[in-house]
Amino acid sequence: MKNVFILFFVMAFHATVCAQKGSYTYFMKTWNFIKYYHPDFAEGKKDTDSLFLATIGKVNEKTDENTIITLLSKGLSNTFTSAPVIDNPKDVLAVNQNFKWYQKNKKISSENKILLNDIYNHRFVAETEKKDKQSDSKINEFKKDENLSLAHRLLALAKLQGAIDYLYPHKYLMDKNADVYFSDLVDQTIHCTSRKDFEIILAKVVSKMEDTHSFRFYNELNFKNEIFHRLYYPPFDYVIIKDHLLVTKLILPEICSKANIHVGDQITEVNGKNIREILKEKKELLSTSNPETFLYLISDFQKNLIWSDNLSRKSLKIQSKDKKTYLAETEFVNFTDKQQLAIVTQYIHNKIRQKQQYTIDHKDIAYFKINDAFAFTNNIPDDKLDEHMDSIFREASSKKAIVFDMRGYPDWGGFVFHYVYKYFSPVENHFGEYYKPNPKNVGTYIPISYDEFGTYYADIKNKTTHPYKGKVFMIVNPETLSMSEWNTMNLQNIFPQSKTIGQRTAGADGDIRIIKLPGGYNLEFTGNGIFYYDGSQTQKVGVRIDEFIEYSDDDIIQKRDLELDRILKDL
């Protein structure tokens, strides 16, 4: 009998918690639906944040779906006299749009299903995409260390849910359990008692998007130093490789010497926690499109995101180059020590200025670096630029090989889009599919045609083509992000004989979209759907690579450029 009572109590408690999470989650789902489709809100006649804040306090764990729909639709113009919207453009991307949450829900009355269907069928339609305006609700009035009110915490989560459901073209690539995970975080949001705990919840929601464009959200958090344990810096630099930190530079040699730490050592544990465990914890808080980009970004010394605690002294398990394993008790840099602060700060400045400058100086190779192309325009009058760039490409065409180094972000959009296309490409250069938000049906995306110049290639009258028959290489890595990935796809099509070599790219192409959250947070994320011309995926996957190149620990220590070695072998 006792066991039966315990089982009943557990089931009742679970049902209560699930109902509570379900009530608030369903409220958010309905609010977002009305926000993006109902003409009163989508057209800007009424403020959706005000609706949320005015009604969320009337919801509790016992509030059912029909009551929620009534609360949110009360006072709206729900009698529609116009004809239903008909919008069925060719090749529309509608995989994210799913209304089963109300259409297949047996608890919702037929009247409310008809109401929501009517709102969708008579939704606001615009000719061009409508940008979210800044709400007049209490968005930025909270102090940085002040926890947001429950209503504003839930509003922040609702805005994130809406961004994912209606504004993020690649929701369909997210984890299938993301909705359940979100519901659990709603429950945590209800009970969290500090701003720091709430920021952890926000980071966890964003991380589930798995979008490299959203990686920088960590920097929006007021408690980022505490959450990511950034209070102390190591006395050495490092690169993270799957299951260890590779020591690449001794910044404070005296501290490292006392701890018996050397360049080339592998750190496999920090204070008893192995690196794989730490990386798993960090991945729950940071958004990246693929594991390779995650490791690349979290290896950044300046970001200092890898540590698992805020202790100033750490016990490191080290495997030396001669395979000996030992523990090293290590002091981390204390920024109250002005001398240590000055050394680390200067190191960071020098590293930024002297970041490994890839270059190729070979008589048979023409080398172009995507983040240093604007230098070609130095001291060149505008009316002479076409002639100047043509001369550069004529010279390049005399070489055995042309190399486009895409390891970076383009500093000149016109380099590939206009000038490489102008000189080398045939007029028709169908290299990708670019989907923009559909203003007539929010949450779906429509392709931009190749007739819309300004996206795929420049509109050049009397264009001539100078086909290049030599070898062409594109070098890529996780720094190949967004516009750099788009340019790489472009080049791959202009030069069908090309080989793309390196590491997986960032897997986040398309224009950035930004939403504002209560508390003063800005979330950036991918706002367009980008595919290869045959429909192949690029989000998360990155650009097509013909040959992956993997670096060993020694390659990294010696600062070798394996891509250059690979190219020279092919000449």
Side-chain angles (χ1 to χ4, degrees), residues 360-404:
I360 297 175
D361 185 12
H362 191 283
K363 64 182 180 65
D364 293 325
I365 297 175
Y367 176 72
F368 300 104
K369 186 158 178 59
I370 196 63
N371 62 358
D372 194 28
F374 195 67
F376 291 127
T377 68
N378 289 345
N379 303 316
I380 306 298
D382 289 347
D383 61 344
K384 299 292 184 182
L385 188 54
D386 280 11
E387 180 183 341
H388 174 67
M389 294 306 298
D390 283 352
S391 69
I392 288 174
F393 292 136
R394 272 196 303 273
E395 173 66 19
S397 296
S398 69
K399 307 288 186 180
K400 290 183 179 179
I402 298 177
V403 175
F404 294 96

Side-chain angles (χ1 to χ4, degrees), residues 292-340:
E292 292 84 351
T293 302
F294 172 66
L295 290 179
Y296 187 88
L297 292 174
I298 205 172
S299 291
D300 189 327
F301 179 83
Q302 183 180 9
K303 293 183 176 68
N304 197 36
L305 294 169
I306 186 57
W307 311 109
S308 57
D309 58 59
N310 282 321
L311 299 175
S312 62
R313 187 174 181 84
K314 303 188 192 298
S315 176
L316 308 179
K317 187 174 182 179
I318 293 177
Q319 181 173 291
S320 65
K321 286 187 289 185
D322 58 2
K323 303 303 179 182
K324 292 181 179 178
T325 302
Y326 57 91
L327 292 178
E329 297 292 329
T330 312
E331 290 290 341
F332 270 44
V333 175
N334 186 347
F335 281 174
T336 60
D337 185 319
K338 293 184 179 180
Q339 184 178 4
Q340 289 186 358

Side-chain angles (χ1 to χ4, degrees), residues 172-265:
Y172 63 93
L173 294 176
M174 290 173 60
D175 191 303
K176 292 181 180 179
N177 296 319
D179 286 340
V180 175
Y181 185 76
F182 180 84
S183 183
D184 290 338
L185 292 178
V186 170
D187 187 49
Q188 293 178 35
T189 298
I190 294 168
H191 297 102
C192 81
T193 57
S194 72
R195 184 67 168 268
K196 174 186 171 184
D197 289 343
F198 179 58
E199 290 190 337
I200 291 173
I201 291 169
L202 292 178
K204 286 182 175 180
V205 175
V206 173
S207 74
K208 280 295 180 181
M209 295 176 75
E210 295 185 335
D211 179 26
T212 303
H213 274 143
S214 300
F215 177 82
R216 289 180 293 186
F217 184 70
Y218 84 89
N219 210 32
E220 293 285 311
L221 307 179
N222 300 323
F223 287 88
K224 58 180 175 287
N225 289 338
E226 293 82 0
I227 292 170
F228 290 97
H229 311 298
R230 302 172 73 231
L231 297 180
Y232 299 97
Y233 275 70
F236 51 83
D237 201 351
Y238 55 89
V239 169
I240 304 171
I241 305 174
K242 295 181 181 178
D243 61 355
H244 66 272
L245 274 66
L246 173 66
V247 178
T248 58
K249 176 77 173 180
L250 305 183
I251 302 171
L252 292 165
E254 290 185 7
I255 295 178
C256 293
S257 179
K258 289 179 182 178
N260 197 21
I261 296 174
H262 310 88
V263 170
D265 286 349

Side-chain angles (χ1 to χ4, degrees), residues 441-452:
N441 192 353
V442 176
T444 68
Y445 301 82
I446 51 178
I448 294 178
S449 72
Y450 271 87
D451 294 332
E452 296 182 55

Side-chain angles (χ1 to χ4, degrees), residues 86-139:
I86 299 176
D87 177 50
N88 187 27
K90 184 180 178 182
D91 297 331
V92 65
L93 180 66
V95 65
N96 291 336
Q97 199 172 58
N98 186 340
F99 300 139
K100 290 181 180 179
W101 57 273
Y102 78 84
Q103 292 175 342
K104 300 295 183 181
N105 190 333
K106 295 180 180 179
K107 296 180 181 179
I108 298 177
S109 67
S110 58
E111 292 80 8
N112 278 328
K113 288 181 180 179
I114 291 172
L115 171 62
L116 295 180
N117 281 332
D118 277 349
I119 291 173
Y120 174 73
N121 290 330
H122 295 86
R123 61 190 177 276
F124 174 71
V125 169
E127 291 302 317
T128 59
E129 183 188 2
K130 177 179 174 290
K131 298 294 184 181
D132 294 338
K133 71 180 184 68
Q134 174 66 56
S135 172
D136 59 3
S137 63
K138 184 182 176 184
I139 291 288

